[in-house]
Amino acid sequence: PPARALTLDSSLERDAGLDSLGRVELVLRIEQRFGVRLAEALMASAETPRDLLRGVLAREDQAAPAAALESIEAGGTAIDGSPDGARTLVEALRWHLARHPDRPHVYLLDDQGGREALTYGALWAEAAAVAGGLRARGVGAGQAVAIMLPTSRDYFTGFTGILLAGGIPVPLYPPLRLAQIEDHVTRQTAILRNAAAAVMITVPEAKRLGRLLRTHVESLRHVLTIDDLRAPEDDLPSVGAQDLALLQYTSGSTGTPKGVMLTHANLLANIRAMGQAVRATSEDVLVSWLPLYHDMGLIGAWLGSLYHAAPLVLMSPLSFLARPERWLKAIQTHRGTISAGPNFAFELCVRKISDEALAGLDLSSWRLAVNGAEPINPDTLARFIERFGPYGFRPETMAPVYGLAEASVGLAFPPLGRPPLIDRIDRTRFHAEGRAIPASPGDPAAMRVVACGRPLPEHQIRVADERGREAAEREVGRVEFQGPSATSGYYRNPEATRALFHGAWLDSGDLGYMAGGDLYLTGRAKELIIRAGRNLYPYELEDAVGAVPGIRKGCVAVFASGDHGAGTERLIVAAETRETDPARREALRERIRALALAVIQTAPDDVVLVPPHAVLKTSSGKIRRAACRDLYERGALGADRRAVWVQVGRMAAAGAGARALRGLRDAANALYAGYVWMAFALGFAAAGACAAALPDLRARQRAIRAIARAAFAAAGIPLMARGVDRVARGGPFVYAINHASYLDAPALIAVLPPGISFVAKRELANVRIARWFLHRLGTRLVERFNAAQGADDLEGLVAAVVEGQSVAVFPEGTFGRAPGIRPFRLGAFSVACRTGRPVVPVVIRGTRSILRDGSWFPRRGTITVTVGEPRAPDGADWSSALALRDAVRAKIVEGSGEPDLQRLSGAVFHPGDGEG
């Protein structure tokens, strides 16, 4: 498009199309060009180039340098214990208040380098005063109170005061510039209406709009500041674990806001699970610039630090955007150990911090750099590690994670100490088949996907196919989850709540696949756009642009396009028009840019005007945003009309072929599943006949071993055995095997030498046919819950081994659908120590992927059984049994390729635990 004429009085947003990141870029270039250092407030307050010129002429680079701050020294003294028994955030705060009221909780950094401390005692006292003011104005249990404040001491006391009053905080993002406060507050009315907010706590400048807001929001009675609310209050209401503690609204769309309902129990479950995953302690120091209206900054940074008593060093988001090096220098100064940011923040540090600004930087204290909240770019990870490696940043510090408000915030974290894991997959097969097949080493077109980690303790993630069944390993589908921190739905929005749940699972709206226990995200099924850490939805802007004269209504597509250079997403608007005059077309673009600023507070990166019928739709008339994005990224959106239709035809043909291929694959999978069950049913019938007809136990075991092999062969499931020769001679042995699926026992019977007695849970004896069959196979049943019976069963195993019988045990006692090695029970290792017989570690892989717990739909796959070196016990006492268990378990974890759930949860089984 032709260049727009700009003057000193042009609007930086409306005329220049600069959003917050663009404004930062402009200010940094001005500083470099004129050798000055501008005031950070200018980035928020400047409306025109003239405002920036005044800043340059003021030569604020002459300001005195800020005084150096002392280090917090990694949190100072550690505290004893943690509020594990707390049922609510209020109880957690009370726990800290009773033990260390003078312990600093938050350090607020200002733009001049100053630091203000907020202790637990001060937080409680100031919040109680706010609670008194709210109670005096009629705020009761379960009433929503909106909070629209910048990062400040008032935010903490306001949010906590709402909780103490029994209310529900509703964070709203504050306006970037006070000059736009009226327009900004007016756009929040949809959220205020949905939340039925009774009070809004805000800045003094917004109070003048209170009367206007109350005419639009019937429930809203007061628009107040923190100073207005200070009042004594001794009689605080009780708060329960299932009471709502937060309504987290999606930012950027005011058309149909969705408030994620999160209870105290939800938030505490997520904070505790994340704390286990990252091993958070009171000796950590959290450093953050993340906005407090966003769940990552509010829950992950602030509430997490409050619970674990880890000091939080906090700066404003603008301070980071203006000088990205301040984030890193705050980590150095305060010896920060944990700090988080969206992908664009890490990219901003790589691109915008000069080498001179990094002189003397030391990031060696930083042990966990959490990268989440928006799509993660593998190039950004590599560039950040390379750029800041010389300053003490370690590759294993970078932790790509996954979360969403519907899960409170965190859902998947990588194992500590692991550098980022990048999967290279075949791009062609990914698009054609929907599968993530590893690419050949030399494939230049390989698609790279970042591993986002494994489910947090007590949480589960699955990938579901188009039919709602759990997808196979490396098959792309919708990411679903469940766990104690999952929301119960959207506030006063039953339709959206119904769409969120698929049975017991919640739909994240994201697409991805599982591989080796890790989640890999490949895109979004929902139409969310994440730009510079903000969530934007296209619908409202599409409607607004469609109403512009000259634009075809209902023929507008708003979508995201990856910006690898900026480490974030570009906002694209494609609109159909019949206008051909260049000047009028440019006027349409200007109008669309202005609308975008008014509706979603950010300018589009590109406005593409296309001829009629170029914006792709479904047969029912819905905008095909993903298809439009594909055309745009290939440079075909807005090209010659005939060329577009040719490409659309090609895309349609390719899409039809892909749909047909998927249909055939679904049909083939269904037929395969039926065939597998038929093969195993015939095998089971034959095994039952042999168990009944053959009088000798050894003969029965050999026959059923042959039948199991034949059943797997008939089902087309390759069965590979490694290391079986290690147990061909010698014995008896105690076999310790990981447990992943109902297929484990048949696979082991087919592979291991005959003559082994398997150990199973005694509950199976309650099923008559199972009891008879297991008895005929020589299976030994053990009690898991009755201690006296369990001790007798253990003695029976000892006697069997002494008599020369090998036994096979699943020390985990059970299995689940999610990958991971559970804690081992001690019984098998006690038997080995008491008899002096070796334990043989056996690793079974592939069965979980073929047939998961809770599913009866088998998938194709290969089963591998690896027999390890026998390990003899060092003694006969309990300590020897513990050492033997831990050594064998470490070998099985290493060979399984699955997460170590004991390390994640900290759970350990102790002497006397039953077997199963």
Side-chain angles (χ1 to χ4, degrees):
R4 285 164 280 168
L6 296 178
T7 69
L8 283 175
D9 296 308
S10 297
S11 168
L12 292 173
E13 283 191 332
R14 184 186 64 253
D15 300 323
L18 295 178
D19 61 3
S20 58
L21 286 180
R23 188 181 296 256
V24 170
E25 174 74 21
L26 176 61
V27 170
L28 292 177
R29 292 191 180 189
I30 289 174
E31 290 182 335
Q32 293 171 2
R33 176 64 179 82
F34 293 98
V36 298
R37 187 176 180 87
L38 301 180
E40 290 171 11
L42 201 62
M43 297 189 185
S45 62
E47 299 286 341
T48 66
R50 190 179 300 279
D51 296 332
L52 296 175
L53 177 60
R54 292 193 184 105
V56 173
L57 295 176
R59 297 195 59 79
E60 296 179 18
D61 56 318
Q62 303 302 319
L69 295 177
E70 294 182 2
S71 168
I72 294 174
E73 295 184 0
T77 57
I79 65 169
D80 292 328
S82 60
D84 294 338
R87 300 176 304 113
T88 67
L89 293 170
V90 174
E91 290 181 9
L93 180 55
R94 281 186 186 273
W95 189 93
H96 291 294
L97 182 71
R99 288 160 177 80
H100 38 251
D102 296 327
R103 182 182 179 88
H105 165 40
V106 178
Y107 292 92
L108 289 156
L109 305 184
D110 60 33
D111 293 341
Q112 287 71 46
R115 185 174 75 193
E116 176 188 10
L118 177 65
T119 65
Y120 282 97
L123 175 61
W124 179 273
E126 294 175 27
V130 171
L134 291 171
R135 300 267 291 168
R137 288 164 175 81
V139 172
Q143 280 195 299
V145 178
I147 179 168
M148 189 178 72
L149 292 170
T151 297
S152 61
R153 188 184 187 102
D154 284 352
Y155 196 103
F156 298 109
T157 58
F159 189 100
T160 308
I162 297 169
L163 292 179
L164 295 183
I168 310 170
V170 181
L172 302 177
Y173 66 93
L176 292 175
R177 283 166 291 285
L178 294 178
Q180 298 176 338
I181 192 167
E182 180 176 356
D183 184 48
H184 174 84
V185 173
T186 303
R187 283 199 298 272
Q188 305 304 310
T189 55
I191 292 178
L192 294 169
R193 286 193 197 115
N194 180 258
V199 175
M200 185 170 80
I201 304 174
T202 187
V203 294
E205 291 81 0
K207 285 183 62 178
R208 296 191 298 268
L209 301 172
R211 183 174 300 175
L212 172 64
L213 273 174
R214 288 195 294 273
T215 64
H216 292 281
V217 183
E218 185 177 350
S219 63
L220 190 63
R221 301 192 300 270
H222 305 284
V223 178
L224 304 167
T225 66
I226 289 292
D227 288 338
D228 296 331
L229 285 167
R230 300 188 193 280
E233 177 61 51
D234 297 323
D235 184 23
L236 296 174
S238 61
V239 180
Q242 298 307 319
D243 291 339
L244 290 180
L246 175 65
L247 288 179
Q248 182 69 53
Y249 279 86
T250 54
S251 61
S253 175
T254 58
T256 53
K258 294 190 296 185
V260 179
M261 297 188 292
L262 297 173
T263 65
H264 286 269
N266 292 148
L267 294 176
L268 286 175
N270 201 252
I271 290 167
R272 286 165 175 153
M274 290 191 296
Q276 289 181 42
V278 307
R279 299 181 190 174
T281 73
S282 58
E283 296 181 88
D284 278 307
V285 173
L286 279 68
V287 177
S288 179
W289 56 268
L290 296 168
L292 293 170
Y293 57 80
H294 190 279
D295 50 21
M296 196 174 184
L298 176 67
I299 305 169
W302 174 37
L303 295 180
S305 72
L306 183 147
Y307 182 89
H308 295 290
L312 172 63
V313 178
L314 189 65
M315 66 182 70
S316 75
L318 180 61
S319 182
F320 162 72
L321 290 174
R323 317 271 179 226
E325 64 270 19
R326 282 194 165 172
W327 178 29
L328 305 184
K329 290 187 175 180
I331 292 172
Q332 170 186 279
T333 300
H334 303 287
R335 306 310 296 157
T337 60
I338 301 175
S339 194
N343 189 83
F344 90 87
F346 293 94
E347 186 65 39
L348 198 65
C349 289
V350 172
R351 296 172 56 236
K352 299 303 177 186
I353 302 178
S354 66
D355 291 338
E356 292 76 14
L358 296 179
L361 182 66
D362 178 10
L363 299 178
S364 60
S365 66
W366 199 357
R367 71 176 184 87
L368 194 69
V370 178
N371 185 332
E374 66 180 20
I376 300 171
N377 185 339
D379 291 329
T380 297
L381 304 183
R383 286 194 287 258
F384 191 92
I385 291 170
E386 180 181 4
R387 175 83 194 277
F388 296 101
Y391 301 96
F393 186 86
R394 299 173 296 276
E396 60 270 22
T397 295
M398 182 65 75
V401 302
Y402 173 63
L404 65 166
E406 287 80 356
S408 291
V409 59
L411 186 55
F413 275 63
L416 287 178
R418 186 184 77 181
L421 189 60
I422 313 297
D423 196 21
R424 297 178 71 259
I425 61 176
D426 188 299
R427 187 182 299 272
T428 301
R429 296 187 69 179
F430 172 79
H431 289 296
E433 303 174 20
R435 291 195 293 165
I437 306 301
S440 60
D443 184 357
M447 181 176 171
R448 293 173 302 148
V449 190
V450 178
C452 293
R454 298 162 176 174
L456 291 175
E458 299 185 38
H459 294 71
Q460 295 191 61
I461 298 174
R462 75 169 190 173
V463 173
D465 63 18
E466 295 174 353
R467 299 179 181 272
R469 294 190 294 254
E470 185 157 4
E473 184 103 338
R474 291 190 167 275
E475 183 176 331
V476 178
R478 298 179 76 99
V479 177
E480 298 180 345
F481 67 96
Q482 58 181 225
S485 64
T487 180
S488 60
Y490 299 111
Y491 193 63
R492 299 175 62 190
N493 195 336
E495 183 178 348
T497 298
R498 283 193 296 271
L500 176 65
F501 284 88
H502 293 171
W505 295 88
L506 285 77
D507 183 2
S508 71
D510 291 308
L511 302 175
Y513 63 93
M514 299 293 295
D518 278 281
L519 172 67
Y520 293 83
L521 295 179
T522 59
R524 284 190 293 274
K526 59 189 178 185
E527 302 294 351
L528 178 68
I529 301 168
I530 304 178
R531 192 177 191 281
R534 284 191 59 205
N535 297 338
L536 309 173
Y537 289 83
Y539 323 114
E540 191 176 12
L541 181 55
E542 288 174 346
D543 287 343
V545 173
V548 172
I551 298 297
R552 300 187 72 220
K553 188 171 182 61
C555 300
V556 180
V558 176
F559 52 88
S561 178
D563 186 348
H564 295 289
T568 185
E569 292 187 331
R570 302 176 71 231
L571 178 64
I572 311 300
V573 178
E576 291 184 8
T577 180
R578 299 184 188 277
E579 187 60 67
T580 58
D581 180 74
R584 292 177 180 173
R585 287 172 67 89
E586 181 57 24
L588 284 176
R589 291 190 181 92
E590 292 291 341
R591 180 73 183 276
I592 291 171
R593 291 187 182 95
L595 268 176
L597 286 167
V599 173
I600 60 174
Q601 284 194 304
T602 190
D605 293 278
D606 197 4
V607 176
V608 183
L609 299 180
V610 296
H613 311 297
V615 172
L616 306 183
K617 299 181 181 180
T618 66
S619 57
S620 60
K622 295 180 180 179
I623 301 295
R624 296 174 57 199
R625 298 180 184 88
C628 290
R629 181 190 64 233
D630 291 341
L631 277 179
Y632 174 83
E633 291 178 347
R634 297 210 310 266
L637 191 60
D640 178 77
R641 183 173 177 178
R642 288 171 298 176
V644 169
W645 278 108
V646 169
Q647 295 187 53
V648 169
R650 290 175 180 170
M651 288 178 60
R659 286 193 298 272
L661 185 62
R662 283 194 295 270
L664 289 173
R665 192 168 67 243
D666 287 343
N669 287 338
L671 289 173
Y672 174 74
Y675 175 74
V676 167
W677 284 121
M678 181 181 69
F680 277 106
L682 291 174
F684 185 77
C690 289
L694 296 174
D696 181 65
L697 175 59
R698 286 272 181 167
R700 290 195 294 268
Q701 289 179 338
R702 283 194 294 268
I704 291 174
R705 181 172 186 256
I707 291 170
R709 288 183 169 185
F712 279 107
I717 300 176
L719 195 58
M720 302 174 61
R722 298 170 181 165
V724 178
D725 56 316
R726 291 170 175 158
V727 292
R729 296 184 180 85
F733 299 111
V734 176
Y735 293 88
I737 312 150
N738 62 305
H739 208 1
S741 169
Y742 288 112
L743 293 180
D744 291 347
L748 293 166
I749 289 171
V751 168
L752 294 180
I756 299 173
S757 288
F758 283 83
V759 177
K761 55 190 177 183
R762 187 169 290 277
E763 298 98 284
L764 294 175
N766 296 328
V767 182
R768 180 176 298 178
I769 188 170
R771 182 173 66 245
W772 171 83
F773 188 73
L774 293 173
H775 173 72
R776 297 291 288 175
L777 283 183
T779 303
R780 295 184 174 271
L781 302 180
V782 297
E783 174 61 45
R784 296 190 297 169
F785 306 112
N786 183 291
Q789 181 62 56
D792 290 342
D793 294 336
L794 192 65
E795 293 300 325
L797 290 177
V798 170
V801 175
V802 168
E803 293 170 4
Q805 177 70 60
S806 291
V807 294
V809 181
F810 296 110
E812 293 169 276
T814 187
F815 62 89
R817 55 153 303 281
I821 305 300
R822 298 166 181 260
F824 276 15
R825 300 173 185 267
L826 197 60
F829 307 96
S830 174
V831 170
C833 287
R834 291 176 59 186
T835 60
R837 302 309 306 165
V839 173
V840 178
V842 179
V843 177
I844 186 165
R845 300 183 65 162
T847 54
R848 195 192 309 271
S849 179
I850 294 172
L851 186 66
R852 288 184 184 270
D853 182 34
S855 171
W856 296 102
F857 192 85
R859 304 279 186 168
R860 289 178 173 83
T862 298
I863 298 175
T864 303
V865 178
T866 303
V867 178
E869 291 285 353
R871 186 180 182 96
D874 294 329
D877 55 4
W878 280 114
S879 60
S880 298
L882 288 169
L884 182 61
R885 177 193 66 181
D886 293 344
V888 170
R889 188 177 183 279
K891 285 292 184 183
I892 291 177
V893 169
E894 180 184 356
S896 70
E898 293 194 349
D900 183 350
L901 299 184
Q902 176 175 299
R903 186 187 62 80
L904 291 175
S905 67
V908 178
F909 285 102
H910 298 288
D913 290 335
E915 200 66 70

